[in-house]
Amino acid sequence: MILSNTFGLDLCTLSLCKAHALLYHVVLDVVKTTSITKHCLESTQQCVLQPRDMAWRGCFMKWAKINSLYAQFLSPRSSRLTIHPQQRCGFKKAQRQSETKRGLEEETAGQKHAVPPLPGEPVPPMPLPPRTPPSLFRPLVFTVGFTGCSFCTAAILQYESAKSRVQMAMEEAKEEKRDKLVEGHTTTYWHNWWNQLSHFQKQVILILSVVDDWWSGLSEGQKTVTGIIALNTLVLCCWRIPSMQRSMVKYFTSNPASKTRCLPMVLSSFSHYSIIHMLANMYVLWTFSTSIVSMLGREEFLALYLSGGVISTFVSYVFKTTTGRLGPSLGASGAVLTVLAAVCTKIPEAKMGIVLLPMVSFTVGNALKALVALDTAGLLLRLRFFDHAAHLGGALFGVWYIAYGNAMIWRSREPLVRFWHELRNKPHGRPRPGGGGGQV
């Protein structure tokens, strides 16, 4: 019993020592730099070198100790750096957050590009957000307010003009009486004054007299339109100055998409970039100036012309905003067509012809119908060479004003004129409570 037990113990010890020798090499590779590695190395060497001299109890205890060390240092959870459990969990949470964020980015990218393009294929452009149409509330308020102010100012100017003409007539009558008394002395004075002038001064005076004779031969309407032509010519010259291009585009072109939309509604009616465009508009205006001013008067004509330019521009704004074709416009065509339509409505049977074809003549009523038909066709066909919406707006306003607007607006100006007369002739001083008069 004793031999057999001893032999069995020797075999067990020998097998354990072989196992420990194998573990020695594993532990030597894994925990080479730790202090525990040295302890395990010394214990395993003793078991390998002296297997038969050790007692079975000491070998068993060392085997159990080495197994515990093996389980501690060679388990799958172990690592070369001891990480605190909270830190380990923290690293795991950060990794999970990054994975979640990466998943969201991939999902968002998948929504933007459902099918990624190939390297050789062009990337399709991103769809633009829908464009909100510009608001026309402020241009509408400006159009109504400017039209009302134009006719109110015209009524006041007409009152002042009539009053000044009466005063001038009275002064001329007094001067005629005075000239008759000193007629002989005046002739001698002017004869001596002319002889004292130099040759150059005499030539200048002769040129001025010719200009004065030409100006006196013009009708009231032609004199009024001459000022409008001068303003259009000045604006045309400003277009040729490079440093003013930016300001000219901002204030002298009407565009519903621009930030400045109200003031260009007036200024664009005096703006032309092309000389041919300006000459065509001004020729038509010059042709009908005598008729329109004789019918309405100078002040009412100016109010109609300015209002026609603003209203035609507003109609152009409405059409461009509705169709989405936003772009700049300029020119006096809308205001000129207002004047043309007013004359054609007032005198539809008047005859007119073409400059290059004097043998062809037609009534102005038929001419107006042809122009309206052409602009309507251009509007329906979406032609963009002319602003057909502005042309139609100006023509329709001219027809409406002669048919209804003159009676509604101009003939109702008497209360305004009376109020202005009372305000102008109102005494500036008030009597004091003590009874003495004077100014405050």
Side-chain angles (χ1 to χ4, degrees), residues 17-18 20-22 24 43-51 54:
C17 290
K18 290 180 179 180
H20 288 150
L22 180 61
Y24 165 75
S43 301
T44 310
Q45 286 177 352
Q46 292 178 4
C47 294
V48 174
L49 296 176
Q50 300 175 358
M54 295 179 60

Side-chain angles (χ1 to χ4, degrees), residues 5 11 13 78 88 186 238 257 294 305 426:
N5 291 336
L11 292 175
T13 303
S78 64
R88 191 183 301 127
T186 304
C238 292
S294 61
Y305 182 83
K426 186 177 181 180

Side-chain angles (χ1 to χ4, degrees), residues 151-161 299 410 416-417 420:
F151 283 98
C152 291
T153 305
I156 294 173
L157 289 178
Q158 189 183 51
Y159 164 80
E160 294 292 337
S161 178
E299 294 78 13
W410 193 251
L416 175 64
V417 174
W420 176 258

